[in-house]
Amino acid sequence: MTDLTTQFSIHLAKDTFKFNASHFVAYPGFRERLHGHNYRVAMTLIGSHEIGRDGYVLDFGCVKSVAKKVCKEMNEYFLVPTLSDVLKITIDEGGDSYLCGQCEDNSDHIDKKLKSTHPGTVTIQCEDGSRFIFPRQDCLLLPIMHSTCEELAIYVYSQLLKGLNRDYLESHGVSAMEVTVSESTGQDATFRRQIPSREENGEAFDVSSYITKSPIPAMPCSIESEAA
């Protein structure tokens, strides 16, 4: 007889679950310097008191394939928190532009319009007056407010859920998932929640719903010299 108090889960933290990216965290009254991390991702999928007839909670191979794809899509970008409440972000998706140049007969008093493709830019104006301009193709626009490990874990969770498919998870009795994003050894954040229903899917990944509206308390320590 099956013991209903038991529960199965699987945990994956492979060396291939990684991505390199640059970012800075900004919130009212504070902005980090631009820097980067070698991020790593791990996940735990919580099943039921039974495993499938195939002997699995889920096939490791399927989960690994999806996780590697998610990490690859985040690799070597500047992470842009498009929902930031302190950064003014202007996105130019690019298009055709025209440059002036000499005519073929070198009569430089006559302008010839040379058509070129403008790759686009992302301009970020910061609260402290700093201004950054990045090539659009080097930026990953994310539906988060801060590019912290906590909010990146929410985003990675949403992408893993999309890749694994809710129906597939439900058919295997997976009820919850936990995602950990690490920015360096011993420094990580974890997001855990039940697998959202179709009705609540959009709300489940609205990062603002997880952020308190309370004032930011003063820190009891200085972080100006913190490097990693």
Side-chain angles (χ1 to χ4, degrees), residues 197-209:
S197 65
R198 284 183 177 78
E199 291 72 24
E200 65 178 344
N201 189 51
E203 297 177 359
F205 305 115
D206 175 8
V207 296
S208 64
S209 66

Side-chain angles (χ1 to χ4, degrees), residues 67-82:
K68 286 190 286 187
K69 182 176 184 293
V70 171
C71 290
K72 182 178 180 180
E73 291 172 349
M74 299 179 71
N75 192 43
E76 296 184 347
Y77 283 104
F78 173 72
L79 306 178
V80 182
T82 60

Side-chain angles (χ1 to χ4, degrees), residues 114-177:
L114 302 176
K115 186 176 180 180
S116 66
T117 300
H118 171 47
T121 57
V122 174
T123 302
I124 301 178
Q125 185 72 43
C126 303
E127 190 181 38
D128 63 2
S130 301
R131 185 167 178 261
F132 298 87
I133 302 177
F134 299 96
R136 172 64 184 88
Q137 62 193 15
D138 291 354
C139 294
L140 182 61
L141 307 180
L142 298 175
I144 58 178
M145 293 184 68
H146 317 87
S147 53
T148 58
C149 282
E150 289 85 345
E151 293 188 38
L152 290 175
I154 298 173
Y155 176 75
V156 171
Y157 183 114
S158 72
Q159 298 307 295
L160 289 172
L161 180 61
K162 183 185 300 183
L164 288 170
N165 186 286
R166 182 184 291 98
D167 292 338
Y168 175 69
L169 296 178
E170 289 180 352
S171 69
H172 282 71
V174 174
S175 59
M177 181 163 59

Side-chain angles (χ1 to χ4, degrees), residues 11-24:
H11 178 73
L12 294 91
K14 306 291 289 183
D15 289 340
T16 51
F17 300 169
K18 62 183 179 180
F19 62 96
N20 304 322
S22 58
H23 81 134
F24 59 80

